[in-house]
Amino acid sequence: GDSVTQMEGPVTLSEEAFLTINCTYTATGYPSLFWYVQYPGEGLQLLLKATKADDKGSNKGFEATYRKETTSFHLEKGSVQVSDSAVYFCALFHGSGNTGKLIFGQGTTLQVKP
Amino acid sequence: DVKVTQSSRYLVKRTGEKVFLECVQDMDHENMFWYRQDPGLGLRLIYFSYDVKMKEKGDIPEGYSVSREKKERFSLILESASTNQTSMYLCASSLGGRVNEQFFGPGTRLTVL
């Protein structure tokens, strides 16, 4: 079945460091891909998305490119801030309309130190 | 702004109690979802609903039931709470369609003693 695998956390970085969080997926066809972020004490928020191969999603300085050949959707940011400390979830949506569902990775905790 | 609200942020119940978790969305979304979130396991889908009075089992429905009597409200019911149901419960909604972006509530942290 469909699945999403993320790199193990926690990831600890200093402020202004470069961030990469790896995400790979297994699915038939062409799923839509998402990154969600969960700040402490809150629900998940959509960070960015890509709906077809080679699409690049971007938001708040974060980027991820849908790579069909490597079945990956790695999250990157050039310079992290303390306020980026959160849990990041990669997800795929496969299906159509009301018969599909989101499948999440296990989440990666990011800690950014000043 | 899109809004999904959940009835409680924190809840403590005893083993065997019947527990109701309520979720309300104000976006006129067709689809609503209940997940549980556990460390190292990510989010797992319990139940979802794509219309009033309709429900579908997710990946881990055992021990849970749901109710959707109105479009904006989706309730998760633990018929007889057990300690292994201690978890964070997240509700979400989506408009529907291929992209199916989901909007999440703040979560309810349930502890079953």
Side-chain angles (χ1 to χ4, degrees):
Chain A
D2 296 354
S3 65
V4 175
T5 302
Q6 293 180 230
M7 63 188 290
E8 294 271 343
V11 174
T12 303
L13 296 173
S14 297
E15 212 166 18
E16 299 184 4
F18 184 86
L19 168 71
T20 301
I21 300 178
N22 290 338
C23 171
T24 57
Y25 67 90
T26 301
T28 54
Y30 305 94
S32 296
L33 301 174
F34 302 82
W35 276 101
Y36 280 83
V37 58
Q38 184 179 34
Y39 297 105
E42 298 183 15
L44 276 69
Q45 303 173 24
L46 180 67
L47 182 59
L48 53 85
K49 62 186 179 187
T51 58
K52 60 183 187 297
D54 300 324
D55 265 3
K56 178 186 281 189
S58 61
N59 186 26
K60 299 181 181 180
F62 291 89
E63 293 183 340
T65 301
Y66 189 142
R67 300 282 188 204
K68 182 174 179 296
E69 62 277 11
T70 55
T71 61
S72 64
F73 193 53
H74 304 320
L75 182 68
E76 297 182 335
K77 186 175 185 182
S79 176
V80 293
Q81 306 300 313
V82 172
S83 57
D84 293 326
S85 298
V87 182
Y88 293 82
F89 291 92
C90 185
L92 68 83
F93 176 79
H94 204 203
S96 60
N98 295 327
T99 60
K101 61 182 183 180
L102 276 178
I103 296 169
F104 288 87
Q106 71 270 39
T108 302
T109 299
L110 171 65
Q111 299 172 338
V112 181
K113 299 189 173 180
Chain B
D1 238 10
V2 163
K3 197 147 190 184
V4 179
T5 56
Q6 295 183 228
S7 51
S8 307
R9 293 300 301 270
Y10 300 94
L11 209 52
V12 179
K13 296 292 182 180
R14 298 207 174 272
T15 301
E17 281 193 79
K18 190 168 187 176
V19 181
F20 292 87
L21 302 182
E22 304 285 339
C23 175
V24 177
Q25 50 94 5
D26 64 359
M27 299 158 284
D28 202 33
H29 281 175
E30 304 293 328
N31 304 334
M32 296 188 75
F33 308 83
W34 275 107
Y35 296 89
R36 63 177 284 175
Q37 180 181 8
D38 300 290
L41 297 177
L43 273 72
R44 293 179 291 168
L45 182 63
I46 303 172
Y47 267 97
F48 65 102
S49 168
Y50 53 85
D51 202 353
V52 175
K53 296 192 186 296
M54 305 300 286
K55 61 184 179 184
E56 293 283 344
K57 292 181 179 179
D59 300 316
I60 52 164
E62 296 78 20
Y64 303 94
S65 62
V66 290
S67 172
R68 192 160 179 208
E69 296 297 318
K70 294 185 177 181
K71 189 176 186 179
E72 68 270 18
R73 189 179 297 269
F74 192 36
S75 303
L76 180 69
I77 303 154
L78 286 67
E79 296 289 343
S80 177
S82 63
T83 55
N84 62 11
Q85 292 179 310
T86 292
S87 187
M88 171 71 86
Y89 290 87
L90 292 168
C91 176
S93 71
S94 70
L95 184 61
R98 187 183 182 277
V99 176
N100 212 6
E101 175 184 337
Q102 292 186 15
F103 296 86
F104 283 81
T108 296
R109 183 162 294 282
L110 173 67
T111 301
V112 182
L113 301 176

